[in-house]
Structure formats: C-alpha cells, structure tokens
C-alpha cells in the first residue's frame, strides 16, 4: 500500500457528559500529521470515550474535533473516513476475511475488479493472503487483529484509531505485532490514535503520549520525557514508580533545588517554582537508587535490607528506613556488592532522576 | 450507538399498534367487569357496580377453584422441577454427546408436538383400558382398573408432562453455569456423591431453580385444555371457570371479574415467588 | 466446552433421567402407535395394523378445512410476527428512549397473561368494535400471541451480537439502514429460523386463544380435534396427532441441520 495522506488532528476543549457523569473534561490535544498519539490510562479514565467521539459513535457534549482544520464532530460516522480497529476486532462473523476487508470499498461503490486488487494488496500487507476465504471464527487472535487492521486501512482513512488493539493477545504475540504495527504506521505515514492501558505498549508505540485520569489529560509529552519526568503522582504511579516519598524543600535557588528526604539532602540541578520550606512529593525509580555500604563516605539515607532477590539481570531490594519502604534495583551485570537481608546499608539517590512531583 | 439510539423508537411502530390493541382488549375486558350482564347480544349494561366482584369472592366454589388452581400449580411445578433436574444434569454433563442430543431431541419433539396431541394421548393411556391399567392388570397387580382419568392425578400427570420441556430448557442454562471444580473440591474433601449433590450442587443451583419454578408456575396457572379434556368436568381450574362464564352463562362481566381476581392473585403469587428467589439469591451470594 | 472423562453425576441421576425421558416420550410414541390400531381402545401386543384412521383424517371435510385454516393462519402469522418483531427487538435492545421498559412489558404481556384471558379479552373487544369473528380477527389475535415469542428470541440473538461490529460497519462507510441489512440481519439467521419454527408450531397448536376467535368457518385444527374428541371417540385424532408429530420431527431436523440444537435453545 502506498503512503497515505497525513491529516492533522486537533481536539479543542473536548467535553463529554453522560447524564450526571463527566467522562471527559476539557481535553486539548494537537497531533501533527503522520504521528501516533497514545492515550494511556486506567479503565474508566475517558480514553475510549475520546476515541469514540473521534470515530463518531459518541456525541460531543462541547468542544471541537478538527481533522485538517475542519470540525467533524457533527458528521455521521459513515462519512468521516476514519479507520478503526476495535477491541476484540469486531469482524463481521458472517463474512470471509476477503469480504471483511472489501466492505469499506463496497460501501464506497468501488468496482469489483478494483476491490479485488485492493483486497489482495491489503492482505499481502498484513501477510494473510493465504487465509482470504476463511471466516473470522477460524482465525487466531493475531490473525483477526491483522484482518481488522487491513479492513480499517483499505479505505485510506484520514485517521487510524486503535482501541486496545493488542489487549486480547498473549504477551509473546503482542510484542511481534507491536513492531509490525509501528513499521506499518511509519511506512504509510498515517495519523494514528491508540488507546491502551498497557504502559509498555504505550511507550513503544507513541510519538506523543497522553496519560489520562478521571477524564482529564494529566500529562502530554513524548514517551521518554514522560517516563523520566512524570509530572504528577498519578502519572508516576501509573508508569510503575514504586518510590514516592514526602519531602521538604530546603533551599530553592536560581540554578538548583535542595530537598530533604527524611533528613537526607539531595540537590537537584533544576530550578523549581517551590518556596523554601514547602512540602513536596518526590518520585524515583528503583534503578536510580544505589546501594552502598553503610560506611561509604558519600552522603546517603541509612536503611536496612528487608528482602533481596536475584531476578535474572538485576537484584531487587526492598529496604526500610525509619518506617519508610523503599525499592531499589542493582544491576548484576556490573559487579556491585551484594547485600544480605538484614544488613545496614546507605542509599544514594541519583539527583538527575529524582523528580519532584506537582502537588 | 449513541447518536441514533433515540431515533430507533420509530422501528417499534407496528409492534406498538399491536400493543395498543392488546392493551385496549385487556382494558376493555377489565372495564366490563364493573357492569351488569347486558341483554342477549350485547356485552354489558347499566351503571358501575362492584357486584360481580362480590359474586366472585362470595361464592365458595369460586374460592375453592381459585385456591386449588394456585395450590395444584405449586405442587405440579415442584414435581416438574424434581424430574427436570436430572435431565438437565445429564444433558449438560453427559460424557457422550449423543446421550445429551438424544434427550434434547426427545424434548424438542415432545415440545413441538403440541398440547392437543398430548392431551389426547394421555386420554387413551390413562383410560380404564389404557396402557397403565392394562399392564398392571396383566401383571396381576390390580384386579379392577385404577381411576387415572377425570381426577387430579390424570390432569396433574398431563400438566407436569407439558411443563417438563420448559423446565429442562431453562435449567440447562443454570446447570451449564455451575463450575464443576467446586463439586470436585467437595469430593476431594471427602464428600460422597449424594452429599456433594445436596450440600454443594443444589445450593449453587437454587437461584436457577427458583427462576424456573416461577416460569413454569405461571404456565401451570394458565392450564385450560388439560383440565377441560382430562378433568371430565370434575377437575376445574380457573381458566375453565372463566370459559364457562363466557360460553355457558354468556355472562361477560362475571367472566371479566373472575379474570381480574385470577390475574391479581396470580401476580401476587408470582411476585411472592420472585421475592423469595431474590432472597435465595442474596443468601447464596453471601 | 470442557468435558471431563469422568461424568459429574452418579447412577441415580442417570436412572432418574432415563425414566424422565421415557415419561416424556411415552405419549408421543404411543399416540403414533395408536393411530394404526384397529380398535378404539388400547391393545397390546398390537394384533393388526390399519390405515383406516389416517384415511378418515385425510378425507374428513372438517379436519381438512381446519388443517387448511391452521396452515393459512400460521403462514400469515409467522412471517408477519418476524417482520414486526425484528425491528421492534432491535429498537428494544439497542435503543435508549423514554418508555422503553413499559413498551417491552406490554408487547411481552401475552406471555404472562393466561391465553384464556387474552382470548376472551380480544373476543369482547372485537364484538364491542363490531368486528365479526373471521380470518382477520383470528390472525390478529394469533399475531399478538406470537409477537412476544419473536421479540424474545430475536432479542436474545441481538444481545449476543457485539454492537461494535455495527460500529465497524458505520466507520467503514455504511449508513444505518445498510448496516442493519448487511451486518445485523445476516447475524440474526439462527434466531429468525428458530423463532419461525417455534411460532409456526405454537400458532398451529394454540387452543386457548383460538377457541374464542374461531367459528365454524375458521375452525382450526386444535379446536376441531377438541370437538371431535368430545363427540366421537376413535383414533382419527391420533392420526392427526401423528401428522403433527411428523411435522415437528421434520422441523426439528431442519433446525438441527441449519443452525444446530444448541442455538435453537435460546428461545
């Protein structure tokens, strides 16, 4: 299949209310043509509702959905030219793979011979040419997913919407399909919105990643920044940070900020808009907490090893410091000292990766 | 789909016309219960009166027919369930598929063969020279034929037989939802088959049993053909009473009042059963 | 479905189920045997075999007229109840509009209200409205009686269909009407088939409503059989029963062939 049009998508002050329940609140997103926006969040956070509003299955309560600058929010779904891959794929159970894929072209009155060529091309693209005459019930989950993708792409849509497209597949299959999906999207250059609750999938597939909570976008960023610099506690927790601590700002300077974590001072090389003496929360990933011997000269937080487990390439520690539970990872590839359970150690926090969260 | 879901009401138009016809029929009939019997050829006449209701409720024979109908329907429904449970268990859990298919086929054919057919068949089977009496006489177990027809026994057998397919169909779903591992757990903990059945299977099945009971009870209440053909005038259920008011006495208002009283007591009985099954369900979930 | 090698019930259950199945089949098998019996009463072992009663049934004007009436009525009522029932079920399952629950209750009410009451009510409404008992009134009554069966079967079928499949069709460019006919209707095949068989049989078999809504000209089979049983006492009715049983066996086999038993169970 050839490169497709790269339409831009813009959501302006989007709101959705069901009776008394506010499902989506003031969502503003701007996605340049050809990139992937991923909406990540727990179930019920409003991510699927946004997708359904873009597709035209849910009415917009207020706000606008602009595709290439035109508001599409009043248009019937069948006139939107948006391809969608549904959760569980929603294939037509009474049609063969080829008929499923051809459906969109049939609706557009494309001639039979053109349909046949396009279907053949699309099936080559998703490597399913040999299954054209099968029915969906005769296919594996991964194969169904490819049919759904081919069916959505054959109409050369302005946007591709993916609703948990890999959620029903097992882990091994999912990783392979993630890669294929990514390559295909790059190749076709199609603007894509993906909804998922799986953070790894989100990090892998997104150009722009929006973490959602209770109908709002908590943070929109590129995946790496989001991973390294979660802005709120919710984002940090959702991206799997176990260490979130209460801290106090000791010194708020022009070039750096010093915070105190249980009396242990950490100096961050960033200016934060926080007053001296203010309480804050910090987040730090286990791999950015270094364990050193208790008599190490470097400053650190004294702690005791509660559990230490070898997990293949790393050692996972659970530590305790004055009632505070802390997780730390030590790489086993670098030959670092191994601490026994019960031993006293010192924890050194990597200042670059210690993040002060917004209240 | 949300955007069109409120427009869908248009599709109901023809069904709604039928609904209006039936509501007016029920309404008009209930309304007629408030008047006196009209002269020949007309339905009812006069001014509003509750006399028909006092007539229905004052008559001892009416009360006894009503009570018997409710009571017999409960008994027949419970019996039907007792027969249906093993059938449903075998259908769902038989290790050989053909056994399940055979029973299903038997149920389907019986179900579709119709009420009149079955009523007639019982008439012959249960008669003085029918299969049962003949067999029992041949075997020397009885000297004179047993009276199986024109009493509650015969009517009851026929109604239970009529209810059985409904009960099995409904129970199959309930049995299918049982998780066999729970019973396996009971067995591995030392419970015998019968203890497992009564202490584990039955309690898990109870909500399904109650739903089935309510369904077949409401079907049993409406019995009309079986008491009419097999009851020989001696066994009367409320539907027969209504029919006679209509076609023997030509008294529409009286028939209507009888129907209203019948429906009210039937709904109360079904409502009580639903309440009970909700209670059972709640107990089960605790 | 998971089927273990070890059956989950003991011999007692098997014994009870066997008895129950015999009890179930006894009248059906017996009435067929009886239709070939030379005497009016039961005889065992059967000494002779006669087709007299079958001959009588197929040559009786009363039975043949009744059979024709039943057939005409069922052939009108069955397709009509589905043509009305399919869109109605779709609206009731997929729609959200005020009064939905009430409308559903009213449409399904003839399932709960005893047939005799429905029959008498319609009869008194007809006579109040000046509608004489005839084919129209009979079919209207049967349609009202059959619609709940259609709505129940089609609704169960619809609930089993993923609404996202319809959304997929919409996003691929199909309008609402086209989606309904190209995507929804084909998936209703099993529900429609099962409901057709069921409604056809129920319409032919119905006695409690038909007895009020038919007269000498529009007498249907069950009513004819009832009158015959009352007035005469010979196995001609057994011959009729045999015909109906054969019909139901054929229909069951047809259903099994087309959609399989398990699916037709949803009624």
């Amino acid at each position: 299949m050839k490169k497709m049009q790269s339409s831009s998508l813009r959501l302006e002050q989007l709101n959705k209310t069901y009776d008394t329940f506010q499902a989506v609140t003031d969502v503003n997103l701007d996605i340049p043509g050809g990139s992937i926006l991923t909406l990540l969040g727990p179930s019920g956070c409003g991510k699927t509702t946004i997708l359904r509003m873009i597709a035209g299955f849910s009415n917009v309560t207020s706000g606008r959905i602009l595709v290439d600058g035109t508001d599409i929010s009043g248009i019937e779904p069948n006139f939107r030219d948006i391809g969608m891959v549904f959760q569980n794929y929603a294939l037509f159970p009474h049609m063969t793979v080829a008929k499923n894929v051809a459906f969109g072209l049939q609706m557009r009155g494309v001639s039979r011979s053109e349909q046949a060529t396009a279907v053949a091309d699309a099936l080559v693209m998703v490597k399913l040419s040999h299954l054209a005459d099968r029915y969906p019930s005769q296919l594996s989950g991964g194969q169904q997913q490819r049919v759904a993708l081919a069916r959505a792409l054959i109409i050369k849509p302005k946007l591709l919407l993916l609703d948990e497209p890999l959620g029903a597949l097992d882990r091994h299959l999912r990783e392979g399909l993630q890669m294929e999906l990514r390559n295909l999207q790059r190749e076709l250059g199609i603007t894509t919105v993906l909804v998922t609750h799986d953070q790894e999938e989100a990090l892998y597939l997104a150009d722009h990643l929006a973490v959602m909570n209770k109908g709002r976008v908590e943070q929109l960023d590129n995946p790496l920044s989001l991973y390294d610099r979660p802005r709120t506690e919710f984002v940090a927790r959702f991206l799997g940070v176990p260490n979130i601590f209460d801290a106090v700002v000791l010194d708020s300077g022009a070039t750096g900020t010093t915070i105190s974590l249980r009396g242990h001072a950490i100096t961050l090389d960033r200016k934060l808009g926080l007053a001296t003496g203010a309480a804050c929360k910090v987040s730090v990933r286990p791999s950015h907490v270094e364990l050193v011997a208790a008599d190490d000269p470097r400053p650190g937080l004294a702690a005791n090893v509660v559990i230490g487990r070898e997990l293949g390439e790393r050692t996972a520690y659970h530590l305790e410091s004055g009632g505070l539970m802390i997780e730390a990872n030590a790489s086993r590839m670098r030959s670092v000292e191994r601490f026994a359970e019960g031993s006293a150690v010192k924890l050194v926090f990597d200042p670059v990766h210690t993040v002060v969260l917004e209240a | 789909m949300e955007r069109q879901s409120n427009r869908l009401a248009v599709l109901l138009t023809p069904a709604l016309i039928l609904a209006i016809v039936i509501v007016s029929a029920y309404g008009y009939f209930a309304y007629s219960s408030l008047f006196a019997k009209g002269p020949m050829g007309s339905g009812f006449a006069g001014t509003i009166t509750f006399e028909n209701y006092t007539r229905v409720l004052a008559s001892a024979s009416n009360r006894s027919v009503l009570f018997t109908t409710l009571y017999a329907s409960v008994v027949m429904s419970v019996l039907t369930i007792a027969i249906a449970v093993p059938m449903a268990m075998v259908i769902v859990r038989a290790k050989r598929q053909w056994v399940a298919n055979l029973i299903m086929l038997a149920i389907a054919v019986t179900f579709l063969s119709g009420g009149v057919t079955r009523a007639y068949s019982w008439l012959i089977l249960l008669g003085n020279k029918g299969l049962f009496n003949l067999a029992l006489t041949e075997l020397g177990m009885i000297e004179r034929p047993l009276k199986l027809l024109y009493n509650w026994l015969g009517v009851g057998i026929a109604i239970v037989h009529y209810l059985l397919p409904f009960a099995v169909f409904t129970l199959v779903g309930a049995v299918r939802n049982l998780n066999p591992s729970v019973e396996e757990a009971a067995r591995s903990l030392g419970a015998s088959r019968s203890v497992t059945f009564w202490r584990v299977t039955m309690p898990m099945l109870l909500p399904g049993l109650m739903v089935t009971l309510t369904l077949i009870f409401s079907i049993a209440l409406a019995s009309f053909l079986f008491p009419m053909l097999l009851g020989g005038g001696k066994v009367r259920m409320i539907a027969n009473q209504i029919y006679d008011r209509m076609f023997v006495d030509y008294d529409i208002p009286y028939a209507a009042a009888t129907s209203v009283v019948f429906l009210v007591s039937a709904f109360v009985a079904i409502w009580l059963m639903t309440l009970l099954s909700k209670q059972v369900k709640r107990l089960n979930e605790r | 479905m998971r089927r273990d090698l070890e059956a989950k019930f003991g011999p007692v259950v098997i014994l009870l189920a066997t008895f129950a199945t015999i009890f179930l089949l006894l009248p059906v098998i017996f009435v067929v045997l009886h239709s070939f019996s030379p005497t009016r009463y039961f005889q065992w072992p059967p000494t002779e075999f006669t087709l007299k009663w079958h001959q009588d049934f197929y040559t009786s004007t009363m039975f043949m007229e009744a059979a024709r009436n039943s057939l005409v009525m069922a052939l009108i009522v069955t397709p009509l109840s589905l043509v009305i029932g399919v869109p109605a079920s779709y609206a009731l399952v997929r729609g959200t509009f005020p009064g939905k629950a009430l409308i559903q209750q009213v449409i399904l009410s003839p399932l709960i209200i005893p047939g005799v009451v429905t029959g008498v009510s319609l009869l008194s409404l007809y006579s109040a409205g000046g509608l004489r008992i005839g084919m129209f009134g009979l079919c209207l009554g049967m349609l009202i009686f059959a619609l709940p069966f259609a709505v129940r079967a089609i609704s169960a079928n619809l609930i089993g269909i993923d609404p996202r499949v319809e959304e997929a069709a919409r996003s691929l460019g199909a309008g609402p009407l086209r989606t309904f006919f190209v995507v929804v209707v084909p998936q209703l095949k099993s529900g429609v088939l099962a409901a057709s068989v069921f409604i056809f049989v129920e319409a032919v078999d119905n006695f409690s409503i038909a007895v009020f809504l038919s007269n000498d000209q529009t007498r249907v089979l069950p009513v004819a059989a009832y009158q015959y049983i009352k007035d005469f006492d010979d196995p001609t009715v057994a011959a009729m029963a045999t015909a109906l049983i054969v019909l139901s066996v054929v229909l069951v086999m047809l259903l099994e062939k087309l959609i399989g038993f398990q699916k037709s169970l949803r009624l």
Side-chain angles (χ1 to χ4, degrees):
Chain A
M1 229 181 244
K2 287 202 204 75
K3 198 140 177 106
M4 296 188 180
Q5 48 193 344
S6 297
S7 299
S8 66
L9 171 68
R10 188 183 160 87
L11 308 181
E12 274 182 11
Q13 281 301 108
L14 204 58
N15 278 280
K16 173 71 193 177
T17 316
Y18 293 104
D19 296 327
T20 56
F21 173 66
Q22 178 97 17
V24 173
T25 310
D26 296 341
V27 167
N28 290 291
L29 292 168
D30 207 340
I31 303 100
S35 56
I36 301 190
L37 165 73
T38 297
L39 301 175
L40 175 67
S43 60
C45 71
K47 56 188 195 301
T48 299
T49 308
I50 292 181
L51 207 66
R52 293 175 61 80
M53 286 194 283
I54 299 173
F57 303 133
S58 283
N59 293 326
V60 170
T61 305
S62 70
R64 300 203 297 168
I65 299 169
L66 303 164
V67 174
D68 288 333
T70 318
D71 186 8
I72 59 162
S73 51
I75 301 176
E76 286 287 310
N78 42 321
F79 298 122
R80 289 195 184 194
D81 277 328
I82 289 176
M84 179 151 175
V85 174
F86 291 78
Q87 208 177 351
N88 302 95
Y89 323 123
L91 298 179
F92 305 124
H94 57 298
M95 297 182 194
T96 61
V97 167
K99 289 263 167 60
N100 261 281
V101 176
F103 189 86
L105 297 179
Q106 207 185 322
M107 293 303 123
R108 283 163 176 74
V110 173
S111 76
R112 258 173 208 283
S113 59
E114 275 176 76
Q115 278 182 35
T117 329
V119 168
D121 283 353
L123 289 179
V124 168
M125 176 182 76
V126 295
K127 305 186 189 90
L128 282 179
S129 304
H130 58 298
L131 300 175
D133 295 323
R134 296 275 184 90
Y135 282 89
S137 58
Q138 298 168 303
L139 304 182
S140 72
Q143 292 166 337
Q144 290 185 27
Q145 203 271 343
R146 289 155 191 259
V147 176
L149 197 60
R151 183 179 71 174
L153 287 173
I154 203 164
I155 61 171
K156 301 203 183 335
K158 291 184 181 141
L159 300 174
L160 177 64
L161 308 181
L162 307 168
D163 187 5
E164 306 266 5
L166 308 172
L169 305 174
D170 65 51
R171 191 178 182 81
H172 172 72
L173 204 59
R174 204 154 61 199
E175 280 167 8
L177 277 166
Q178 272 172 17
M179 197 157 73
E180 278 181 42
L181 200 60
R182 180 75 185 156
N183 292 341
L184 198 62
Q185 190 271 340
R186 276 284 142 79
E187 219 171 280
L188 300 173
I190 184 168
T191 314
T192 303
V193 182
L194 168 84
V195 155
T196 183
H197 66 270
D198 181 303
Q199 53 141 322
E200 260 178 58
E201 189 172 304
L203 291 169
Y204 186 88
L205 286 174
D207 294 319
H208 310 275
L209 182 53
V211 177
M212 294 198 59
N213 180 28
K214 292 178 184 159
R216 291 175 190 274
V217 174
E218 286 273 320
Q219 187 173 356
L220 171 69
D221 227 324
N222 70 60
L224 268 187
S225 320
L226 207 112
Y227 187 83
D228 289 340
R229 299 243 172 279
R231 206 185 291 147
T232 63
E233 182 177 349
F234 177 84
V235 175
R237 286 206 191 279
F238 200 78
L239 292 178
V241 183
N243 299 327
I244 292 170
F245 309 125
D246 290 316
V248 180
V249 179
L250 287 183
D251 177 42
S252 188
T255 53
T257 311
T258 305
I259 57 164
S260 159
L261 177 63
R262 298 261 163 154
H264 166 55
I266 306 166
T267 300
L268 315 173
D269 60 349
R270 297 183 296 282
K271 181 181 169 328
L272 297 161
L274 290 168
T276 301
C280 63
K281 277 191 190 284
V282 294
S283 129
V284 56
R285 289 190 179 270
S287 32
H288 298 128
V289 181
E290 194 183 345
L291 266 74
V292 295
D295 55 0
D296 195 279
R298 280 180 283 177
L301 184 67
N304 288 312
V305 177
V306 180
I307 304 170
R309 285 279 180 273
E310 312 285 349
L311 295 175
E313 57 191 18
R314 65 194 170 97
T315 309
Y317 289 103
H318 283 245
L319 306 117
E320 188 261 349
S321 173
L324 193 69
M325 296 304 296
I326 302 158
E327 287 183 31
N329 284 339
S331 168
R332 286 181 59 236
M333 303 300 133
R334 283 183 284 143
S335 47
V336 289
E337 195 182 340
R338 169 90 173 78
F339 295 97
E341 290 179 3
S343 58
V345 295
K346 198 187 273 181
L347 300 178
V348 178
F349 294 87
D350 176 355
V352 177
H353 291 104
T354 300
V355 181
V356 176
L357 302 171
E358 283 173 14
Chain B
M1 210 176 324
E2 184 198 333
R3 1 182 8 110
Q4 64 175 58
S5 60
N6 39 8
R7 281 184 257 151
L8 286 175
V10 180
L11 296 174
L12 273 170
T13 318
L16 218 51
I17 294 172
L18 291 181
I20 290 168
V21 172
I22 193 62
V23 166
S24 355
Y26 290 141
Y28 180 74
F29 187 53
Y31 179 66
S32 70
S33 73
L34 297 172
F35 295 88
K37 178 182 172 180
M40 264 321 255
S42 72
F44 55 87
T47 51
I48 289 187
T49 165
F50 286 99
E51 201 204 308
N52 294 307
Y53 288 95
T54 45
R55 268 167 82 197
V56 172
L57 295 170
S59 135
S61 90
N62 273 335
R63 284 202 307 264
S64 117
V65 168
L66 184 62
F67 176 75
T68 318
T69 303
L70 292 168
Y71 174 72
S73 297
V74 171
V75 173
M76 292 184 296
S77 304
V78 171
L79 278 175
T80 307
I81 295 227
I83 303 172
V85 168
M87 293 184 89
M89 301 261 292
V90 172
I91 287 173
V92 176
R93 297 176 168 188
K95 43 184 172 176
R96 291 182 199 84
Q97 187 65 46
W98 66 265
V99 177
N101 282 346
L102 189 76
I103 302 180
M104 290 288 287
L105 188 78
I107 294 171
V109 170
T110 311
F111 190 42
L112 295 179
S113 70
V116 180
T117 299
R118 285 190 264 169
Y120 175 74
S121 196
W122 286 118
L123 204 59
I124 307 296
L125 276 169
L126 301 174
N128 280 355
K129 291 182 181 170
L131 174 72
F132 291 106
N133 276 321
L134 220 61
L136 293 174
T137 323
E138 288 286 313
L139 292 170
M141 287 170 77
I142 50 168
E143 279 174 17
R144 248 175 301 153
L146 291 174
K147 232 178 136 23
L148 301 171
L149 269 186
Y150 311 123
N151 56 22
W152 266 109
L153 187 63
V155 175
I157 289 174
I159 292 179
V160 166
H161 185 261
Y162 182 76
L163 298 176
L164 196 52
F166 293 99
V168 179
F169 279 152
T170 323
L171 280 175
V172 161
V175 175
R176 195 162 279 156
N177 288 337
L178 290 182
N179 179 359
S181 314
V182 179
E183 289 154 90
E184 285 165 357
R187 296 278 281 152
S188 76
L189 291 167
S192 68
R193 266 193 217 283
S194 66
V195 169
T196 305
F197 181 79
W198 290 110
R199 299 272 307 273
V200 178
T201 313
M202 278 313 259
M204 289 199 297
L205 208 53
L206 210 51
L209 289 185
M210 286 306 298
V211 170
T212 314
L213 189 71
T214 315
L215 171 82
I216 60 175
F217 173 71
S218 65
I219 300 173
L221 278 181
S223 301
F224 171 52
L225 178 68
F226 295 107
M228 193 149 141
L229 264 177
L230 304 170
K234 295 188 191 76
V235 177
R236 302 182 60 79
M237 288 178 77
I238 201 84
N240 308 97
Q241 203 88 339
I242 295 168
Y243 179 83
D244 285 357
R245 302 269 182 273
M246 198 72 189
F247 283 141
V248 180
D249 311 337
Y250 298 105
D251 193 339
I252 294 176
Y254 195 13
T258 315
S259 303
V260 170
V261 171
F262 171 37
L263 282 183
V264 168
S265 37
F267 284 150
V268 168
I270 290 169
W271 175 71
L272 283 175
M273 268 191 186
T274 318
L275 219 61
L276 188 67
S277 57
K278 274 187 188 150
Q279 204 68 32
V280 164
K281 202 168 171 218
R282 201 167 321 140
L283 278 176
N284 235 35
E285 278 161 2
R286 224 176 22 212
Chain C
M1 198 199 311
R2 191 170 72 111
R3 273 189 193 282
D4 287 354
L5 286 173
E6 178 78 34
K8 297 291 183 306
F9 42 78
V12 182
V13 174
I14 294 175
L15 199 71
L16 289 173
T18 311
F19 274 124
T21 310
I22 292 171
F23 170 61
L24 197 65
L25 280 178
L26 193 66
V28 178
I29 292 169
F30 174 76
V31 82
V32 175
L33 289 179
H34 190 59
S35 72
F36 297 104
S37 146
T39 57
R40 290 157 163 238
Y41 299 108
F42 178 75
Q43 243 191 352
W44 195 264
T47 46
E48 272 169 279
F49 165 91
T50 175
L51 287 174
K52 180 183 183 311
W53 312 119
H54 288 268
Q55 219 161 26
D56 282 1
F57 173 67
Y58 289 105
T59 51
S60 146
T61 333
M62 182 186 79
F63 275 122
M64 284 304 105
E65 267 179 15
R68 208 198 53 217
N69 287 334
S70 282
L71 195 69
V72 168
M73 179 270 288
L75 286 178
I76 291 172
V77 166
T78 309
L80 216 53
S81 64
L82 285 161
V83 167
I84 298 173
V86 169
S89 310
Y90 190 77
L92 290 173
V93 171
R94 294 274 194 264
T96 46
F97 42 86
K100 190 175 105 164
L102 180 73
I103 293 170
Q104 185 163 13
Q105 285 298 316
V106 171
I107 291 175
L108 295 180
S109 62
L111 279 180
I112 311 155
I113 293 177
V116 171
V117 178
T118 305
V120 189
S121 300
L122 283 169
L123 179 63
S124 55
L125 184 73
Y126 288 177
S127 56
L131 179 72
R132 293 178 51 144
I133 297 299
M135 208 54 183
F136 176 77
L138 178 68
C139 287
L140 181 62
M142 282 300 160
L143 193 56
I144 285 170
F145 160 76
L147 187 64
F149 295 117
V151 168
R152 211 169 48 168
I154 304 297
S155 297
N157 196 162
L158 269 172
I159 288 166
I161 297 178
D162 186 350
R164 281 176 295 205
V165 174
E166 291 155 51
E167 293 177 350
R170 293 299 304 277
S171 80
L172 291 168
L177 216 61
R178 206 153 175 195
T179 302
F180 184 72
F181 283 107
V182 179
V183 174
V184 180
V185 171
Q187 293 189 80
L188 289 178
K189 208 175 80 186
S190 65
V192 167
L193 270 170
S196 312
V197 168
F198 188 80
I199 291 169
F200 186 88
V201 171
E202 284 293 305
V204 169
D205 183 52
N206 180 282
F207 177 76
S208 53
I209 295 177
V211 76
F212 294 99
L213 300 185
S214 65
N215 58 15
D216 290 350
Q217 277 74 52
T218 60
R219 189 187 287 130
V220 287
L221 266 185
V223 178
Y226 169 71
Q227 283 167 356
Y228 194 85
I229 293 168
K230 271 179 65 175
D231 297 341
F232 309 91
D233 190 10
D234 66 45
T236 310
V237 176
M240 180 203 85
T242 306
L244 289 178
I245 289 166
V246 168
L247 177 73
S248 75
V249 171
V250 169
L251 289 174
V252 167
M253 306 258 257
L254 203 69
L255 264 189
E256 163 71 8
K257 193 126 213 119
L258 291 171
I259 54 174
F261 258 158
Q262 304 294 330
K263 279 192 177 166
S264 39
L265 243 183
R266 278 197 295 232
L267 283 163

